[in-house]
């Protein structure tokens, strides 16, 4: 469990040797990609049968609070423990943005109980963190995912949730005296999120055959999905 700057916040040893990865990176182009062709099972039969998710895909989880969006995401992480024969392992990155520390601790505890930490990294920037750190959290998660992508691994990344990321970005924008535009969010928040999700990719054999699958979570207010 680390913060967006890469410092462990669960009492584990500091990471001394590491590779520097850019937080912002231009996503892989069409030539480097290939069509999504390998399934990524979430472990929830209704989802896997009706909306099959492939490795390298982006699938939004959207709904009001208390519906179990995080539960779906955590189940998907736990389910990656058992891969069918011949399938590569899936490294999981769970990014917690602007949540209560107790909520993050519950998720971490659940993952520990299910022994999912042998392949899972949690990037946590709780509500007590400054807005600037919360803003960086998803990019830090994405950079970690790209580190494994370069090694040819399959990665599942969960952004929980991008609503709070938008709040943090709004706070930063107001401090920088950039007034919020549409729907009281800065206008470029949409560009920010599309740029972030575009980094989820399925690379072809020539480029290492890795993939990043993204499950972004958006929390709506009273069913308002506009």
């Amino acid at each position: 469990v680390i913060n967006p700057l890469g410092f462990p916040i669960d009492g584990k040893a500091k990471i001394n040797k590491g590779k520097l990865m850019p937080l912002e990176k231009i996503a892989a182009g069409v030539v480097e990609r290939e069509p999504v062709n390998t399934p990524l099972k979430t472990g929830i039969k209704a989802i896997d049968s009706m909306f099959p998710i492939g490795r390298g895909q982006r699938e939004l989880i959207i709904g009001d609070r208390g519906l179990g969006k995080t539960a779906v995401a955590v189940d998907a992480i736990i389910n990656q423990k058992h891969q069918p024969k011949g399938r590569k392992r899936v490294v999981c990155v769970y990014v917690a943005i602007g949540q209560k520390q107790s909520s993050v601790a519950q998720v971490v505890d659940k993952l520990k109980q299910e022994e999912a930490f042998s392949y899972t990294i949690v990037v946590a920037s709780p509500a007590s963190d400054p807005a600037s750190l919360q803003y960086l959290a998803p990019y830090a998660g994405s950079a970690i995912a790209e580190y494994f992508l370069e090694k040819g691994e399959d990665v599942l990344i969960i952004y929980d949730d991008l609503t709070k990321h938008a709040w943090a970005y709004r706070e930063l924008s107001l401090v920088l005296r950039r007034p919020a535009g549409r729907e009281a969010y800065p206008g470029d928040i949409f560009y920010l999120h599309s740029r972030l999700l575009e980094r989820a990719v399925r690379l072809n054999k020539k480029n290492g055959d890795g993939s990043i699958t993204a499950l972004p979570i958006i929390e709506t207010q009273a069913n308002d999905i506009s």
Side-chain angles (χ1 to χ4, degrees):
V1 184
I2 58 169
N3 72 2
L5 301 176
F7 294 110
I9 52 176
D10 56 352
K12 295 274 178 9
K14 189 170 177 283
I15 304 158
N16 291 321
K17 281 204 304 221
K19 184 178 177 189
L20 284 174
M21 300 288 290
L23 283 179
E24 273 284 3
K25 190 174 173 192
I26 294 170
V30 177
V31 180
E32 295 154 48
R33 297 176 182 237
E34 72 166 36
V36 173
N37 53 20
T38 312
L40 185 132
K41 297 276 199 293
T42 63
I44 298 159
K45 282 182 182 165
I47 294 174
D48 290 335
S49 54
M50 286 195 287
F51 320 101
I53 296 168
R55 297 186 181 191
Q57 203 172 318
R58 291 148 300 209
E59 195 73 61
L60 176 66
I61 303 172
I62 185 168
D64 283 12
R65 52 180 303 192
L67 273 183
K69 302 184 295 297
T70 301
V72 169
V74 172
D75 277 358
I77 291 178
I78 292 165
N79 194 53
Q80 302 316 311
K81 189 159 59 176
H82 307 293
Q83 290 300 334
K85 265 207 171 113
R87 289 258 170 90
K88 287 190 290 187
R89 72 164 183 170
V90 178
V91 178
C92 301
V93 182
Y94 176 81
V95 186
I97 311 158
Q99 296 182 38
K100 290 185 301 192
Q101 266 174 322
S102 58
S103 308
V104 181
Q106 276 178 333
V107 171
V108 168
D109 194 46
K110 180 72 178 155
L111 293 174
K112 276 184 180 155
Q113 280 174 19
E114 300 287 345
E115 296 169 1
F117 262 101
S118 55
Y119 56 89
T120 305
I121 299 146
V122 175
V123 181
S125 185
S128 53
D129 273 5
S132 48
L133 267 185
Q134 291 180 41
Y135 163 69
L136 288 177
Y139 299 104
S142 206
I144 291 167
E146 279 165 353
Y147 168 79
F148 289 104
L149 175 74
E150 284 179 9
K151 292 177 152 190
E153 301 228 29
D154 289 328
V155 187
L156 168 67
I157 184 162
I158 286 141
Y159 304 109
D160 191 5
D161 60 57
L162 291 185
T163 303
K164 295 193 181 72
H165 182 246
W167 292 354
Y169 184 63
R170 174 168 60 194
E171 201 175 316
L172 278 185
S173 299
L174 291 170
V175 171
L176 293 169
R177 300 187 174 238
R178 295 188 204 146
R182 178 193 140 132
E183 299 293 338
Y185 285 111
D188 53 344
I189 189 67
F190 303 104
Y191 174 52
L192 230 70
H193 284 164
S194 63
R195 206 169 58 201
L196 174 70
L197 294 173
E198 195 55 44
R199 288 162 75 176
V201 59
R202 175 70 211 263
L203 293 178
N204 54 27
K205 293 263 191 304
K206 194 176 160 192
N207 288 289
D209 199 30
S211 73
I212 296 177
T213 310
L215 297 180
I217 295 177
I218 293 278
E219 185 182 286
T220 51
Q221 308 281 319
N223 282 323
D224 173 25
I225 59 166
S226 62

